[in-house]
Amino acid sequence: MDQSKEQRILNSVSYNAVKGDPESVLDCIDKYCSQKEWAMNVGDEKGLILDNVVKEADPTTALELGTYCGYSAIRIARLLKPKAHLFSIEFNPEFVPIAKEIIEIAGLSDKVTILEGHAQDIIPQLKSKYDVDTLDFVFLDHWKERYAPDTILLEECGLLRKGSILLADNIIYPGAPEFLEYIRNHKRFECTNYPSHLEYMKVEDAMEKAVYLG
Ligand SMILES: O=C(NCCCCCn1ccc2cnccc21)c1cc(-c2ccc(F)cc2)cc(O)c1O
Ligand SMILES: [Mg+2]
């Protein structure tokens, strides 16, 4: 059976990256996806924005919606302090084992738990099943039309606290208009826009940070 693009990305990482070195895994994926096959990783340019917001948040507990191949999970997890943890939700069963393997090659398996399913089904289980209290940082990178409803769900489940930081990818392309409308008009969020470009392309994109004011 023909290999998938995601399997080819894993092959490239497995062959070229330095085991246990997250930076070399990120560089390998960025090289492969800019030179060989485009893929929807947050990429190196928006990745720097992600890095800075993670450093600002310095989360003990972080959540990511949209694992894909694990690229942004590695970007986040490599910056986490000891004992801090990242939960990453992925619904596509094909991507889960590939992301797990790529995160393992980066040496970050202890800091990342991949949860398979839809965010709307898993978010309500985070407290009871995964012993989460509140989330210090959330990276939204899943279905763009789910950014707003899943943000509302996070709030309803008591998973946000005063100062929780949300960061959303793809605000311009593919776009998340409902989310932008919701978050910018909701008085309990303080928003900041970060103009950038679509991963590996000269297409405009942006990220939006939203701090929950409690
Ligand atoms: O669609 C994107 N991502 C979402 C993929 C599907 C997520 C599914 N999923 C995962 C976890 C999860 C949990 N609950 C429910 C659903 C869940 C995406 C697309 C582009 C893009 C594509 C084509 C193009 F021409 C230009 C740009 C660029 C990006 O950066 C993206 O992020
Ligand atoms: Mg994205």
Side-chain angles (χ1 to χ4, degrees):
M1 218 267 265
D2 220 16
Q3 281 210 318
S4 70
K5 172 170 70 176
E6 292 72 25
Q7 281 167 321
R8 291 192 290 272
I9 291 171
L10 170 54
N11 295 343
S12 175
V13 169
S14 175
Y15 188 74
N16 297 303
V18 175
K19 303 285 179 289
D21 178 354
E23 297 299 333
S24 92
V25 172
L26 295 174
D27 291 345
C28 174
I29 295 172
D30 286 330
K31 208 160 161 323
Y32 186 86
C33 296
S34 37
Q35 294 174 4
K36 303 277 187 332
E37 300 185 83
W38 186 90
M40 60 181 173
N41 317 113
V42 74
D44 43 349
E45 186 181 324
K46 288 187 289 179
L48 279 176
I49 299 167
L50 173 60
D51 289 355
N52 290 332
V53 176
V54 171
K55 287 173 185 171
E56 174 194 345
D58 189 22
T60 298
T61 312
L63 174 68
E64 169 181 73
L65 306 181
T67 315
Y68 190 42
C69 292
Y71 178 92
S72 43
I74 290 167
R75 284 206 85 109
I76 296 165
R78 83 193 205 286
L79 299 174
L80 295 181
K81 58 198 169 201
K83 294 201 185 61
H85 203 78
L86 169 67
F87 294 94
S88 183
I89 300 176
E90 178 53 54
F91 103 102
N92 187 324
E94 255 183 77
F95 300 158
V96 172
I98 290 171
K100 278 182 180 163
E101 184 52 38
I102 290 177
I103 290 164
E104 172 62 25
I105 293 170
L108 292 167
S109 295
D110 295 349
K111 304 192 85 64
V112 184
T113 300
I114 298 181
L115 304 174
E116 187 171 336
H118 289 88
Q120 67 189 87
D121 300 326
I122 295 177
I123 285 171
Q125 298 178 316
L126 287 175
K127 282 182 183 268
S128 53
K129 193 169 175 188
Y130 301 101
D131 195 32
V132 171
D133 176 18
T134 54
L135 297 166
D136 307 304
F137 176 77
V138 183
F139 181 48
L140 296 99
D141 196 21
H142 63 325
W143 284 331
K144 311 313 161 191
E145 67 278 6
R146 290 297 311 174
Y147 283 15
D150 287 335
T151 297
I152 293 164
L153 189 56
L154 286 168
E155 194 182 0
E156 283 170 351
C157 293
L159 285 160
L160 301 181
R161 49 101 177 151
K162 190 172 166 48
S164 292
I165 296 181
L166 309 183
L167 183 66
D169 190 25
N170 309 117
I171 291 302
I172 295 180
Y173 199 98
E178 309 86 2
F179 172 74
L180 222 40
E181 162 80 17
Y182 170 76
I183 206 84
R184 288 182 176 174
N185 297 320
H186 189 307
K187 60 193 178 313
R188 285 207 299 282
F189 285 101
E190 185 79 41
C191 298
T192 311
N193 184 264
Y194 298 90
S196 186
H197 295 90
L198 180 67
E199 48 267 30
Y200 318 118
M201 303 291 285
K202 287 189 170 53
V203 170
E204 284 219 355
D205 193 10
M207 301 180 100
E208 188 87 357
K209 180 176 80 171
V211 182
Y212 189 63
L213 302 175

